[in-house]
Amino acid sequence: MGCRLACRGAPLSLLRNTLRVLRAERGWSQAELAERLDVSRQTINALEVDKYDPSLPLAYKIARLFERPIEHIFLFDER
Amino acid sequence: MISKQLRRQAWARFALWMALYVVLVLVVSTLFDAGQIPRGLLVPAALLPMVPAVLAAFASMDRIRALDEMQRKIQADGILFSWVITAVVTLSYGFLEVYAGAPRLSMFAVWPLMAVLWAAGSLVAARRYRC
């Protein structure tokens, strides 16, 4: 969240997510999470700072990894 | 990870074909300079380096396909930027050549222009996803 607040410019994505919190709970680095999801670390960073909306398959992959329903991780921004 | 392996393999193939391309360019240009190419073989000999170049292009496409979804989007943005600006620059220069006496430029100039614009476009696109 701290990085999100300090981030330059408006978020590009329409979704908000709890990825950073979930990752921190498990003590994983961005690189470790990227490895588990088979994406780059840059993609994890972009997801965490709301600069990128994942595809549906990637969102499902994330939900499965964290064993949470997709809508508990990704929330549509009503603004 | 699977995509990492695919990317590595694609890079290896790209490097191999590019190395062969450079070797063939050197060999073919040396033979042309020495006038050792028979007249009937001028066209195939001139195009010979393009065989590994085409294979390198396919390896490069495989590398992009093996990227993750956001990285592919960044590359697509870069390629779109390059495509649009190259069209504007080459058409503009074509008109300048025909109507304003600008010096003739080789077709070899087009690809380096596209490549530089692709890199620049990708860098700009990548910045948009960074904090």
Side-chain angles (χ1 to χ4, degrees):
Chain A
M1 288 294 177
C3 182
R4 187 177 294 174
L5 291 174
C7 204
R8 288 190 308 266
L12 293 176
S13 70
L14 297 170
L15 301 173
R16 301 291 160 262
N17 68 74
T18 56
L19 205 55
R20 184 183 292 270
V21 176
L22 292 169
R23 177 173 65 75
E25 279 172 8
R26 280 156 182 77
W28 294 339
S29 66
Q30 287 188 340
E32 277 177 281
L33 179 57
E35 190 82 16
R36 286 169 195 270
L37 293 169
D38 198 18
V39 297
S40 63
R41 197 198 54 76
Q42 289 80 4
T43 298
I44 298 298
N45 186 58
L47 285 167
E48 288 188 355
V49 297
D50 295 333
K51 292 279 186 180
Y52 177 68
D53 283 336
S55 67
L56 200 52
L58 179 57
Y60 268 103
K61 226 170 157 181
I62 292 167
R64 281 211 173 159
L65 181 67
F66 289 111
E67 297 171 322
R68 300 275 170 98
I70 224 167
E71 64 272 20
H72 284 199
I73 302 175
F74 296 97
L75 308 163
F76 186 72
D77 191 356
E78 300 288 350
R79 281 178 300 165
Chain B
M1 301 265 79
I2 295 167
S3 59
K4 226 180 218 175
Q5 281 172 2
L6 288 174
R7 273 201 304 279
R8 272 202 207 111
Q9 286 169 5
W11 263 118
R13 275 188 290 129
F14 177 78
L16 175 76
W17 293 126
M18 283 311 290
L20 188 59
Y21 167 78
V22 170
V23 169
L24 282 179
V25 166
L26 292 174
V27 169
V28 167
S29 62
T30 306
L31 290 174
F32 268 104
D33 288 346
Q36 289 185 345
I37 309 277
R39 200 168 164 71
L41 291 178
L42 289 180
V43 171
L47 291 177
L48 190 60
M50 287 314 294
V51 175
V54 168
L55 293 168
F58 280 113
S60 191
M61 282 162 65
D62 286 344
R63 186 186 64 82
I64 290 174
R65 282 194 202 106
L67 292 172
D68 74 43
E69 55 183 57
M70 191 189 82
Q71 301 291 339
R72 273 204 307 271
K73 196 167 170 359
I74 289 169
Q75 292 299 315
D77 284 353
I79 289 166
L80 178 64
F81 175 75
S82 157
W83 186 80
V84 169
I85 303 298
T86 303
V88 170
V89 170
T90 52
L91 283 172
S92 301
Y93 196 82
F95 285 121
L96 290 174
E97 267 186 355
V98 173
Y99 299 116
R104 287 241 166 230
L105 275 184
S106 166
M107 290 282 280
F108 281 122
V110 176
W111 168 240
L113 172 70
M114 265 189 120
V116 168
L117 289 170
W118 178 7
S122 300
L123 279 174
V124 172
R127 278 178 61 92
R128 294 212 331 255
Y129 297 103
R130 246 180 259 149
C131 190

